[in-house]
Amino acid sequence: MAEKHSVTGFDEFTEFIKNFKSDKIVNVLFTGEKADGKSWCPDCNEAEGFVNDAIEKYADNTVFVSVDVGNRETWKDLKNPFRTDKDTNLMVIPTLIRWKNPQRLEGDQLCKPELLQMFFTEED
Amino acid sequence: MIVLNLVKSSLLVACRSATNQYRHNITSNLRLTTVRLFSSNGESYEYDLVVIGGGSGGLACAKEAVQFGAKVAVLDFVKPTPLGTKWGLGGTCVNVGCIPKKLMHQASLLGEAIHDSQAYGWEIEKPENVKINWTKLTESVQNHIKSVNWVTRVDLRDKKVEYINGLGYFKDPHNVHVVLKNKTERTLNTKYVVIACGGRPNYPDIPGAVEFGITSDDIFSLEREPGKTLVVGAGYIGLECAGFLKGIGYDVSVLVRSIILRGFDQQMAELVKASMAEKGVEFQVGAKPLSVEKQDNGKLLVKWAFNDNPSDVKQDVVDTILFAIGRHALVEDMQLDRAGIKVINGKIDVDVNSKTNVDNIYAVGDVLYKKPELTPVAINAGRIIARHLFNNSKEVMDYEDVATTVFSPLEYGSVGLSEENAISRHGEDNIEVYHAYYKPTEFFVPQRSVRYCYLKAVALREGDQKILGMHFLGPAAGEIIQGFAAALKSGITMKILKNTVGIHPTVAEEFTRLLITKRSGVDPTPATCCS
């Protein structure tokens, strides 16, 4: 079982991640805000099933943080801190990052089971 | 092969609306069953292609081959350096070559720029406090490299190229054995093999070299500050390392066995050396190291002597000794004799199709005998091999007039023949060399030395004067020479060059202003610009 957390917005995320201490690998998914279970971001919706499947299969003993980056207008703003912050450096959503590590999948890469498997299972 | 291609493409379509059935069937390599592939003579192989080496040449070849439906595996393995340094997928260029080198060169140029900026009005509170944080530099460089390693692995997986992190060797021409990191073993049965194992730095056979010395394999991730450094070797690797270490702020000297930049135009090589000496790099020419010892205070005592006076032993105390005395191809590990592959001077010779003496085995990259050891060369040749093997292409790799750049502090870019090669090929009377010193506009304000800003074009003397070689010493030399490389390939002549209007103010335009020949004896130093 993966340890799951959910945060909303940049400030809540930075506060959370700054204080979060764990020996386990921390993976973070950045995705668009949801209303009634579905996000305004179609790519995020499409990826959700694949990512959840991969977490079920491969993400035991890791930490999974789901971050809601906001609504469409907030995301489209080029000054959005998720875009400008050098640790997140988001160019697209959905983005899946191994926190403070090079492993990263973006956009439709999150719909590819073999890439998700690689992300969650392969060591350096 | 065609059968597998259709199976693969229909599966890729199905993937987007993945079902449980798909997930159960898929192994990490998209092999539903062991599909046997049939070649034209009825023999079947597990793989179409096994590539030994996941560097510039190997990866380019593998990725091109899968585009034509080939089933490909790439083997990559890095034996740690004596210091323990190792790295991920991508080969020398990505990990311990071109990429980190260029980043460190940039770091050193930025240091210079910070100082120059004051003349342009930037107010820096305490200029004497501007200094490098070596840890931050190596961290930034290594972070970039690791992200390239990752993107490379994603790319291979996405393109369905199987990546095996293991050391491969031949059992016979069609069977490559791999020993993986976790000690498990496999034999890959394959129709074709491409050897792309690359090379590694040499250590001299002197006491203490391996125990206390480092090479380019180590410098880009060195956990301690290099400090006062002695670089042994004056090929481009030695000079580039010496150059950026000096620019970053360390005390640097270079031991040169005989000449600088062997194989390059020697007039330009001497100018590179002079420009580096002007920046404070000390050169000892005609010398070699004798031994390295570690002192109690942790520093290294290096003993060396001039070749013409070997009994007069000199010594230096340094923090780091970096050997850049040459590289050897990794032919030893692959048991090439079991495949019948011939080795010449530790390298592999190939025909115009990059084929070795064994019909199903090809080679690419730094492992090749007498071919330029450059990433773009390996990439181009690797792709051509794939097209030849899997797409019936008749293309042949063109090794002529490959442009290069030495990223010394003042860079040296060149394409085509050196002056001495042009003379030996055509005779001095049949060659005309146009040359000039120039002064980059931006250098005036901070009063940067223009003493070694120089360029020349080597051409045939008669007719429109076809250009055989172009050489440029100055800022951004690589950017400048690249376009001229295409021009040279198109047959540019001095007539065309003289009729080309320059872009002003640039340094590249100096090529269009070339008028003075060496033969005329006229002073090639400019009076002013713009006239």
Side-chain angles (χ1 to χ4, degrees), chain B residues 174-485:
Chain B
H174 289 281
N175 286 288
V176 177
H177 196 74
V178 198
V179 180
L180 278 70
K181 232 177 20 173
N182 56 13
K183 303 283 190 269
T184 61
E185 302 189 21
R186 280 176 65 183
T187 300
L188 307 173
N189 173 257
T190 177
K191 184 170 184 198
Y192 296 112
V193 181
V194 169
I195 298 172
C197 59
R200 293 291 288 271
N202 296 337
Y203 284 83
D205 188 13
I206 61 171
V210 174
E211 298 91 305
F212 307 121
I214 65 166
T215 68
S216 57
D217 280 353
D218 304 297
I219 188 66
F220 302 112
S221 56
L222 202 64
E223 279 175 359
R224 56 172 180 84
E225 272 204 283
K228 181 174 172 193
T229 301
L230 177 63
V231 174
V232 181
Y236 76 86
I237 296 175
L239 294 190
E240 286 175 349
C241 288
F244 70 68
L245 287 173
K246 180 71 204 160
I248 283 170
Y250 302 114
D251 210 334
V252 180
S253 11
V254 181
L255 279 189
V256 184
R257 185 184 59 185
S258 60
I259 63 172
I260 310 278
L261 293 175
R262 181 179 300 279
F264 288 81
D265 185 290
Q266 282 301 293
Q267 179 202 11
M268 302 307 291
E270 282 302 310
L271 289 172
V272 170
K273 169 169 164 263
S275 73
M276 289 178 66
E278 189 181 48
K279 291 201 192 290
V281 176
E282 245 194 69
F283 285 88
Q284 306 289 2
V285 182
K288 61 174 196 273
L290 301 171
S291 67
V292 186
E293 291 159 46
K294 196 155 200 178
Q295 294 185 308
D296 289 336
N297 62 2
K299 292 189 192 279
L300 301 175
L301 178 67
V302 181
K303 294 191 178 144
W304 59 275
F306 286 107
N307 301 329
D308 56 12
N309 199 358
S311 51
D312 178 14
V313 176
K314 315 246 183 235
Q315 55 188 48
D316 269 321
V317 176
V318 297
D319 296 304
T320 301
I321 180 164
L322 190 154
F323 294 107
I325 58 171
R327 295 170 65 83
H328 60 277
L330 294 175
V331 292
E332 295 301 321
D333 296 321
M334 289 179 291
Q335 303 204 34
L336 296 178
D337 50 309
R338 290 171 83 173
I341 298 166
K342 288 207 216 111
V343 169
I344 301 183
N345 286 359
K347 297 223 156 170
I348 297 178
D349 199 10
V350 292
D351 67 13
V352 294
N353 291 313
S354 302
K355 189 167 77 67
T356 67
N357 60 301
V358 178
D359 274 343
N360 70 307
I361 301 176
Y362 292 68
V364 71
D366 287 4
V367 75
L368 295 182
Y369 180 66
K370 291 208 187 230
K371 296 287 191 289
E373 291 176 23
L374 297 165
T375 275
V377 169
I379 289 175
N380 270 24
R383 287 188 184 142
I384 289 173
I385 291 174
R387 297 198 276 262
H388 174 76
L389 293 180
F390 301 111
N391 201 32
N392 293 316
S393 167
K394 299 278 178 275
E395 254 183 291
V396 152
M397 176 65 193
D398 183 359
Y399 288 100
E400 290 295 301
D401 300 327
V402 172
T404 64
T405 293
V406 177
F407 292 97
S408 37
L410 197 63
E411 299 170 9
Y412 166 39
S414 72
V415 61
L417 300 180
S418 63
E419 188 175 333
E420 51 267 41
N421 281 352
I423 289 173
S424 80
R425 212 183 264 201
H426 299 276
E428 193 163 0
D429 281 345
N430 300 318
I431 296 293
E432 194 78 270
V433 181
Y434 290 80
H435 69 157
Y437 285 90
Y438 63 93
K439 298 176 180 165
T441 306
E442 298 90 340
F443 280 30
F444 286 107
V445 168
Q447 296 181 313
R448 263 215 226 177
S449 165
V450 299
R451 179 175 275 118
Y452 301 108
C453 292
Y454 175 85
L455 75 164
K456 67 180 179 183
V458 178
L460 288 176
R461 195 173 173 187
E462 37 92 55
D464 291 344
Q465 301 193 315
K466 178 164 150 59
I467 299 179
L468 305 169
M470 298 174 84
H471 302 263
F472 180 89
L473 183 59
E479 307 295 352
I480 287 155
I481 285 291
Q482 182 67 89
F484 286 109

Side-chain angles (χ1 to χ4, degrees), chain B residues 9-40:
Chain B
S9 48
S10 64
L11 277 164
L12 284 166
V13 166
C15 151
R16 291 289 291 193
S17 48
T19 61
N20 283 325
Q21 182 188 6
Y22 168 85
R23 279 199 297 281
H24 287 315
N25 286 346
I26 293 302
T27 67
S28 63
N29 308 314
L30 202 68
R31 267 181 295 152
L32 295 179
T33 58
T34 311
V35 180
R36 291 255 130 184
L37 302 147
F38 289 87
S39 65
S40 53

Side-chain angles (χ1 to χ4, degrees), chain A residues 46 50 53 57 102-105 108-109 111-115 117-119 122-124, chain B residues 12 15-18 22-23 27-28 143 146-147 150 153-154 157-158 160 163 165 181:
Chain A
E46 202 174 351
F50 294 100
D53 277 338
K57 289 183 85 169
Q103 288 89 339
R104 185 180 185 105
L105 292 178
D108 63 8
Q109 290 179 330
C111 290
K112 297 186 179 182
E114 65 272 21
L115 297 188
Q117 180 190 23
M118 215 181 106
F119 178 91
E122 278 182 26
E123 306 140 24
D124 286 326
Chain B
L12 284 166
C15 151
R16 291 289 291 193
S17 48
Y22 168 85
R23 279 199 297 281
T27 67
S28 63
N143 280 347
K146 288 190 167 68
S147 78
W150 168 254
R153 283 168 57 195
V154 169
R157 181 65 73 91
D158 205 24
K160 317 291 181 231
Y163 159 50
N165 185 204
K181 232 177 20 173

